Structures are given as structure tokens and as C-alpha cells.
Amino acid sequence: MSLALEAVNVSKRFGRVLALNDCSFAVPAGRIVGLVGPNGAGKTTLLHIAVGLAEPTSGRVHVFGISAREDVLGVLSRVGFVAQERPLYRGFTVADMLELGRRLNARWDFAYARQRVANAGVALDRKIGSLSGGERAQVALSLALGKRPELLLLDEPLGGLDPLARRSFLQELMSTAAESGVTVILTSHEIAAIERTCDYLVILGRGRAELAGDIDTVVGSHVAVTAPSRYEEFIRTHSAIVDTERTERQISALVRVSQAVDWPTGNGLQVRPVNLEELVLAYLRRARLERTTK
Amino acid sequence: MIWLTYRQHRWEALLTLAVIVILGLPNLIAGLQAPSVIAALGIPACVANPNFGTECSAAFNQFGRQFGWTSYFSILFVALPALVAPFLGAPLVSREHEFRTSLLVWAQGITRTRWLVTKIVLFAAVLAGGAWLLAAIAPIAAQAWSYRPARWQDAFEWSPAVIVGTALFALALGVFAGALTRRALAAMLIALVAIAVARGAVISQLRPTAFIPPIVATSHVGIPPDAWVISSDYVDANGNPVGIDRLIQLNNEFFRTGSRAVLVSSDDYYAQNGVFVRVKYQPREREGQLQGIEFTLYAGLAVALFAASVWLVRRRPA
């Protein structure tokens, strides 16, 4: 299994704020990865470090084994990156933007980029400033894909898009990934969209990877347990509690189980599978609690 | 990268050249006409004769009516490079940050160093060309600014060395301020204030006395008529300045005693009484040397600021 991206003990300090704190995780090639986390968890910083737009304070991020710190052009030639709010030059036409891609990249598939823009129904002679949010997103994506990257990094690609534009953007993205085999890492707050699109999940909280893994496996290894309080000890010894809610007599916990547990169901203890949203929220809540209690 | 620079900044380049042409052209035409008008009005004879009559006053007035407006343009020739450059330089890096396009262009397949160096080189080349054009027409335009031929120390200000040097230095200041603040407006203000302070220091301090120490003469006799006299005062035998009261007293004595008949000038009378004139001046032979030093200073500072900008852009996160 080759790795598309690997973060190794990455820390990034902005003045007093530690945006990333000894963050480590790996993303296998060929996956569509959802990178989630609360605002300020370090998602953007991590992507920026990966493509050399920022330098880590310590540690490193490897893209196909190369670190931007050592060989930024080596990384950039293999990675397409679309920043948050998908910046483009407002005064340029769509054709100008694609020309920019051609001029600034050693490897550039002009026909492919042009075809993508045409498929999205965007005329080449239109000014960027006159495009709708969805059209801008398509142009930015085409620009990133024009270099035929092996890894595509998308920072909040759904931000500012209406539901229809979101849907067509994600469909476009999925069919592109299926066609070309490009690894995609996207950050988003839309867990439903991630559930539909991604097959790999990385949860970032407190500047650290809380969880990383295949979505089906990850979801399958977590359960929600509701039980009378006296079972708390049992739950603790047989699973790892991610998040709990207690009332006087009851405990509800989202737990991670490493092997099959023989739950003593029937005595008021209930176990049910969790969905992705519950899972992500549990991890995010834990991250926030630990931050506030620290 | 050359294509991108052109595509992004072609209007700025065009506007810069348009400003130079629009502001330069009327003055250039006036400057071309001025010598024949001066000759036709008989002004050279008037200038040569200190005790000119009313017909000369009329000629001077006529010249003023015809060409007086160009004196406003003369300010532009000196101020334009210092003004244009921050407007071009300050947004160069800062606007990319403001519009977040730094995250777009620096994630393509070229290094930030190459991105910035290419832009700087192209901007500097075009700006230097424009400034040189301005400097080339300045001496012709200057013929309309005054009916007297410009003295070399005045023409110094619109020499190619100073105009081109100032333009490059101001551009570098703008770029550096933009890379530092990442705000176009703040960078522009900083660059404008800095260029004003720097130019002021060069004109009032460095150029007259610091580049090359001026020659100090103890008499007005022997100073070449085309010398640039920087200062002239009176000192005692120990080199200390003499108070105005003492000078007035000596001057009164000089006239009262009728010494004027015997001595060439009051300076001689002062010298007899232990008060010596001290004149600091730069001879004309130093014109080229002074310009060379000033250009080297501006260009050197510009290169240092450009280098610092590249360093900032490389070091700081996008």
C-alpha cells in the first residue's frame, strides 16, 4: 500500500497558538478522503504545509514520499491544490486562467482542462469575476486537475455553493476520481457530503489526528451503548469511551471496540451501530472538552 | 511567468507610460519652443546685464505668461518616479495576499523565488525605461521652466541617474513594504513616507556634503562661477562661527571708515579684524561623480530591498 500523504509528528506554531500539535496520520493512495475537524483544528494549515505554502515548525508532511520542504517542485508537480474560497484572478478570463496553468506547470493537459470547463458549461471568454460560485468552483477544479495530479487537495470545496452546485461538484469529483485514480483529500463541515463522497476519514481536533481510517471500518468499530450507570465499569474495561452523556441513572456512550464484545444486553443495556455523523460529532466534542479542560 | 506578469499588469504598464506621455508631452513641446522665444524677446542680453531696464521686465513677464505653467510640470518630473513606483510596487505582493491568490499562484509548478524575481525584473526594466524616457525629455522641458539656463546643481535633480535611481528605489520600497505588511494601502503609505524621508535626506544632507566632502574656501575670490555653493558663513581664527552682532558692527565700520576706497571687498576688512569668510562648495567637475554615487546608493538600496522582499516571501507562510 503506497501512501499518498503522510504526516509525521507535524507541529505548527503561529505565535502563541499551536495550530498543529505533533500530528501524525497517513492516507493511502487511491482514496477519497474527508478531512474533518472544528474550525481552527489545523486542517488548512496541514494542507498548506503539504504543498509548501507554509513550513512546519517541526515534523514533516510527505506527499508520495517527498516533503515540500526538500523538493517543493517535486511535490507541486504531483499535487493539485484548491485553496479555501477558491481564489482566482478576477480580471482574467477562463481561458487566461487555463493559460496560467499551462505557463506555470511543466506538465499540463490543456485539452483536458478545456474539456472539463466546457463540460461544466462555462464559456472560455467569460471573466472570472462574472462567474457564479458553482462555475468558479468548476474552473478552480479544472485548473488543479489540468496538471494531471496524483493527489488533489481541496480546502472547503463546498463552501459558498448552493445545494445544486454542491451536488454537481461532488458528482464531477467522484467520476473524475474513479476515472483517473487520483487521490482526493477534501476538508468539509458537511458530514453528509463526506459520507456520500469519501471512503476514508481523518478527524483532526486540537491540532492532532483523533482518528484516521477507512470509513466503513471506522464506523463498524464504534457502537453507541446506553445502559444503567452500574455498567460504566464494564463499558470502560471492554471498550474505549470516546464520548459519554450521563444522567443520574443512565450512561450513554459512544465507544470504540477493538474486538467483538459480548455485551450483557437485556438488563437495560442497549447497543446499536452508529452513523458517521454521530461518530464525528463524538470525536469533535471530546476534542473540545479536552481543550477547555486543559 | 513573463506571460503572467504581462497579463496581470499590462494596464499598469500602459497607465504608467500614459502618465509619462500625457504629463511630459505638453511640457516637452513648450521646452522645444522656449529657446527661440527667449532669443526673440532678447532675454540673453537682459540676463547678462544686471541693471536691465523696463523693456527687459516686459520680456521677462512675456516669458512668464507664455511658459509659467510649466513650473508645475517641473515638480512632476521630480516627484513622478517617487509617486509612480509605490503605486506599482506596493500592490505587487500585498494584493496577492489580500485576494488570497498567493494560494493559487504559489501552488502551481514554479517556486515563489522565481515568481517574485521575474516580476521584479520586469517591473524594474519597464519602470527604468519609463524613468529614462522622462529623464531624456527633462532637459528639453527644462528650457521652458526658466528663462535662465538651469544651473548644473539644479539640473542634477532631473538627471537620468537621479530619476531612474529614485524610481527603482521607490519601486523596491513599495515591494518590500507590501511583502512586509501584506496590505496594499498600508504598504503604499509606508512607501510614500519612506521615499519622501529618504529623498529629503539625500537632497539636504548626503548630496551636498556627505558623498564627497565639499571644498572649503576662505575667500570668495577663486571660487569658480559655476560652482555649487552649499554654505557661506563667517568664522574667527579658531573656526568658530561669528555672531551676527559682530558682523553688523564690522560692516558698519567698513563703510564708516571709508575703507571701501582702499580695499577690494568687505571680506578683506573682516579678515584684517580676525573674521574670515568660510565658503563650502562643490565644483562642477564633480557633477558626474556625485551623480554616480547617488545612483549607486539608490540602486544598491533597491537591490537590498528586493532581496529582503524575496526572503520575506520565501520565509513566511502564504
Side-chain angles (χ1 to χ4, degrees):
Chain A
M1 182 183 72
S2 74
L3 294 179
L5 183 139
E6 188 186 17
V8 186
N9 306 115
V10 185
S11 295
K12 176 66 182 180
R13 182 177 284 284
F14 290 109
R16 287 177 143 189
V17 183
L18 205 53
L20 289 171
N21 184 7
D22 204 23
C23 176
S24 297
F25 68 90
V27 169
R31 312 301 291 265
I32 302 188
V33 184
L35 178 59
V36 300
N39 293 329
K43 305 186 293 287
T44 297
T45 304
L46 191 86
L47 296 188
H48 285 191
I49 289 173
V51 289
L53 289 170
E55 293 232 332
T57 308
S58 66
R60 53 198 47 202
V61 178
H62 294 286
V63 175
F64 299 107
I66 318 166
S67 140
R69 224 173 178 173
E70 281 137 27
D71 180 10
V72 70
L73 291 184
V75 169
L76 286 175
S77 68
R78 306 175 79 172
V79 180
F81 173 65
V82 180
Q84 215 165 354
E85 286 158 29
R86 52 193 88 85
L88 297 169
Y89 290 109
R90 290 185 59 87
F92 279 31
T93 62
V94 175
D96 286 333
M97 283 312 311
L98 299 186
E99 182 69 15
L100 177 148
R102 186 175 81 80
R103 300 270 184 171
L104 299 190
N105 290 287
R107 182 174 53 169
W108 180 256
D109 192 337
F110 211 156
Y112 178 61
R114 203 162 7 195
Q115 187 59 49
R116 288 196 57 91
V117 169
N119 288 349
V122 182
L124 283 173
D125 59 356
R126 284 182 65 193
K127 279 257 157 82
I128 296 298
S130 75
L131 299 181
S132 71
E135 289 168 331
R136 275 182 68 120
Q138 293 290 357
V139 172
L141 182 64
S142 302
L143 183 62
L145 285 171
K147 58 169 129 171
R148 289 287 188 174
E150 292 157 61
L151 172 65
L152 185 62
L153 302 179
L154 307 173
D155 198 356
E156 296 289 343
L158 305 179
L161 296 188
D162 63 51
L164 214 61
R166 258 172 217 212
R167 201 188 166 89
S168 67
F169 181 86
L170 286 176
Q171 274 171 354
E172 189 68 30
L173 185 67
M174 280 196 285
S175 65
T176 302
E179 243 168 62
S180 63
V182 61
T183 308
V184 180
I185 300 179
L186 61 91
T187 71
S188 183
H189 293 298
E190 306 284 322
I191 295 165
I194 284 176
E195 198 158 21
R196 253 187 291 130
T197 319
C198 303
D199 56 13
Y200 201 88
L201 180 73
V202 177
I203 301 179
L204 223 55
R206 304 170 291 152
R208 202 174 285 187
E210 300 283 333
L211 184 74
D214 184 280
I215 287 188
D216 289 342
T217 314
V218 160
V219 172
S221 63
H222 289 77
V223 290
V225 184
T226 314
S229 298
R230 63 193 146 92
Y231 283 106
E232 178 162 354
E233 198 51 41
F234 180 88
I235 297 170
R236 279 192 191 284
T237 46
H238 290 83
S239 64
I241 294 182
V242 179
D243 188 40
T244 55
E245 246 174 69
R246 290 186 185 81
T247 62
E248 224 167 284
R249 291 186 219 156
Q250 282 255 316
I251 175 167
S252 309
L254 193 145
V255 301
R256 178 177 199 166
V257 286
S258 40
Q259 64 224 25
V261 177
D262 190 13
W263 295 102
T265 47
N267 302 313
L269 184 144
Q270 291 172 327
V271 181
R272 63 169 179 81
V274 293
N275 63 31
L276 186 65
E277 178 148 14
E278 284 176 294
L279 178 94
V280 170
L281 287 178
Y283 273 95
L284 296 190
R285 197 153 48 222
R286 182 176 78 164
R288 185 187 300 168
L289 280 177
E290 287 185 18
R291 179 151 52 183
T292 49
T293 52
K294 228 180 352 187
Chain B
M1 204 39 236
I2 294 171
W3 173 85
L4 177 64
T5 310
Y6 163 75
R7 176 62 190 80
Q8 260 189 296
H9 305 287
R10 54 189 178 183
W11 293 113
E12 285 158 77
L14 210 63
L15 199 69
T16 306
L17 288 176
V19 166
I20 292 171
V21 169
I22 289 168
L23 293 178
L25 204 59
N27 198 164
L28 179 67
I29 294 166
L32 288 168
Q33 293 168 336
S36 59
V37 173
I38 288 171
L41 289 169
I43 285 177
C46 294
V47 172
N49 174 17
N51 306 314
F52 55 75
T54 49
E55 70 283 4
C56 282
S57 304
F60 293 154
N61 288 338
Q62 174 58 31
F63 181 87
R65 270 195 298 279
Q66 197 170 344
F67 295 113
W69 57 272
T70 58
S71 60
Y72 298 106
F73 283 74
S74 69
I75 300 165
L76 282 170
F77 275 84
V78 176
L80 203 60
L83 279 176
V84 161
F87 279 97
L88 294 178
L92 188 68
V93 176
S94 60
R95 255 214 337 220
E96 303 277 352
H97 285 295
E98 278 182 358
F99 289 95
R100 308 301 285 145
T101 43
S102 50
L103 300 176
L104 166 78
V105 72
W106 296 345
Q108 304 298 318
I110 58 160
T111 61
R112 289 187 225 178
T113 307
R114 197 176 133 204
W115 176 85
L116 185 55
V117 168
T118 310
K119 285 207 167 192
I120 287 174
V121 167
L122 292 176
F123 267 66
V126 171
L127 192 66
W132 187 85
L133 185 72
L134 204 63
I137 60 176
I140 303 167
Q143 292 172 342
W145 297 343
S146 167
Y147 52 78
R148 293 169 194 274
R151 299 176 301 172
W152 69 270
Q153 61 264 39
D154 298 328
F156 201 103
E157 206 51 67
W158 57 83
S159 63
V162 175
I163 290 188
V164 175
T166 303
L168 292 178
F169 172 59
L171 176 72
L173 261 177
V175 171
F176 177 73
L180 195 67
T181 62
R182 303 176 162 211
R183 289 278 172 276
L185 196 64
M188 254 180 241
L189 291 175
I190 290 172
L192 281 174
V193 170
I195 189 78
V197 169
R199 291 271 291 152
V202 167
I203 293 171
S204 70
Q205 304 295 326
L206 302 182
R207 189 190 298 164
T209 54
F211 291 156
I212 309 172
I215 295 171
V216 180
T218 51
S219 163
H220 281 108
V221 181
I223 298 176
D226 60 356
W228 171 19
V229 175
I230 290 148
S231 70
S232 156
D233 55 3
Y234 290 89
V235 291
D236 62 21
N238 299 322
N240 298 317
V242 173
I244 187 73
D245 296 340
R246 176 82 174 123
L247 288 177
I248 291 170
Q249 184 202 342
L250 282 173
N251 199 44
N252 288 342
E253 281 174 20
F254 172 67
F255 284 106
R256 204 167 42 236
T257 55
S259 306
R260 212 176 169 185
V262 194
L263 296 161
V264 178
S265 81
S266 56
D267 284 355
D268 297 332
Y269 183 76
Y270 294 175
Q272 286 172 3
N273 289 277
V275 174
F276 306 94
V277 67
R278 185 178 60 180
V279 180
K280 292 182 180 173
Y281 71 94
Q282 300 283 7
R284 179 159 199 175
E285 304 89 77
R286 289 181 178 175
E287 185 182 8
Q289 208 184 341
L290 284 169
Q291 284 180 2
I293 294 171
E294 191 161 324
F295 180 77
T296 309
L297 175 75
Y298 283 136
L301 285 173
V303 168
L305 285 166
F306 284 139
S309 307
V310 172
W311 186 83
L312 276 175
V313 163
R314 279 171 56 110
R315 283 286 136 184
R316 296 172 69 192

